[in-house]
Amino acid sequence: DNWDDMYVALEEEISKIFANSLLDENGNVTNGSGLSQKRKDQMANKRANDQKGSKGYYSWGDYWFHYDWRLDPMETADDFNSFVEDIKATTGCEKVGIMATCLGTNIVMAYVAKYGVDDIQGISFDGSVVGGAEILSEVICAKFDVAPTAVARVLRDVEGLGMFSMDDFITETIDMLVQTGVLEGIISTTENLLYDKLVAGVTSALALSTFYTWPNYWACVSPEDYEDAKYYVFGEEGSEKRVKYAGLIEKLDAYDVAVRQRVPELLHEIKD
């Protein structure tokens, strides 16, 4: 009845694999990881307009904003605003056009929430995740089922990726169990007995040992999933993890209030 030791061990072991990318309990970098010096130099050169052409100094037509996409979008938005101001000064233009992709769309929405749209000529979103990305959002709040066909599919997929090799006997046995309904019965029994005990603890352990110390991943959680996600990862109010990760949760809630809950409003502001 008590799985706590397994949750702790799971989190410790997986954390070793992801040690170089995890952030601390406040959502901050602890091990010196982040942007490479090459990327920093590229941005510094372009935003300062010190690229010399055949006729002297000139400005570029496009400027890439490189950033550590793990970090809090609200903080990165401040760096992005500084970048925009530098580009305006470099080019002499009063406004900029922005093209944002994937996690970068969270940064731009945070920027709009904090600084408005006065400096923007237009915005294009490609692969936007500002309304929630199901692949990140639903898993982190345990919106998943265990089904025989899914088990068989995952095993075949990971074999196809070369992660390990399965003997034909195993795959044929799984297919037979699926077709006869035996595997479904086994999984159903396991779900009924263990699902409630396992889901919350395992979700939390996997979350905090992989990608969910990263505020920008949390920004991809949909509005309807956010509170459930916090519960599955950090537990109830006053829990040990809520206390330990109070700094991270403060950042997550700030983005929730400033951006996630205002996405329709902010998009209309951009459109207008």
Side-chain angles (χ1 to χ4, degrees), residues 80 98 100 103-113 120 123 125 270:
F80 184 67
I98 299 173
L103 291 168
T105 61
N106 295 333
I107 307 303
V108 172
M109 288 295 278
Y111 164 78
V112 171
I120 300 173
I123 295 178
F125 282 165
I270 293 170

Side-chain angles (χ1 to χ4, degrees), residues 72 212-216 218-219 226 230 234 245 247-257 260:
D72 179 13
Y212 284 87
T213 56
W214 304 354
N216 202 12
W218 277 92
Y226 181 59
K230 283 203 300 181
F234 302 112
Y245 288 93
L248 173 60
I249 293 172
E250 183 178 0
K251 289 181 177 179
L252 306 183
D253 286 342
Y255 179 87
D256 180 57
V257 173
R260 182 184 288 105

Side-chain angles (χ1 to χ4, degrees), residues 132-153:
E134 289 87 349
I135 194 170
L136 299 176
S137 182
E138 295 188 352
V139 172
I140 202 61
C141 63
K143 284 187 178 178
F144 51 81
D145 294 315
V146 181
T149 51
V151 173
R153 169 65 185 272

Side-chain angles (χ1 to χ4, degrees), residues 7 191-201:
Y7 303 148
E191 274 193 305
N192 292 335
L193 292 175
L194 301 178
Y195 188 83
D196 289 341
K197 291 184 179 296
L198 282 174
V199 168

Side-chain angles (χ1 to χ4, degrees), residues 171-214:
T171 57
E172 294 299 330
T173 301
I174 291 174
D175 287 342
M176 181 185 72
L177 292 174
V178 169
Q179 292 173 26
T180 59
V182 173
L183 187 57
E184 185 170 0
I186 294 173
I187 289 177
S188 177
T189 301
T190 305
E191 274 193 305
N192 292 335
L193 292 175
L194 301 178
Y195 188 83
D196 289 341
K197 291 184 179 296
L198 282 174
V199 168
V202 170
T203 299
S204 178
L206 292 178
L208 294 175
S209 60
T210 54
F211 311 119
Y212 284 87
T213 56
W214 304 354

Side-chain angles (χ1 to χ4, degrees), residues 18 20-23 27 29 33-36 39 43 65-77 79 101-107 129 136 210-220:
F18 287 84
N20 290 330
S21 62
L22 293 178
L23 303 182
V29 174
S33 63
L35 281 185
S36 68
R39 292 300 192 200
M43 283 206 299
F65 178 68
H66 300 287
Y67 65 101
D68 187 336
W69 42 264
R70 299 171 298 175
L71 303 181
D72 179 13
M74 303 302 289
E75 294 179 359
T76 305
D79 294 334
T101 300
C102 196
L103 291 168
T105 61
N106 295 333
I107 307 303
V129 290
L136 299 176
T210 54
F211 311 119
Y212 284 87
T213 56
W214 304 354
N216 202 12
Y217 259 41
W218 277 92
C220 302

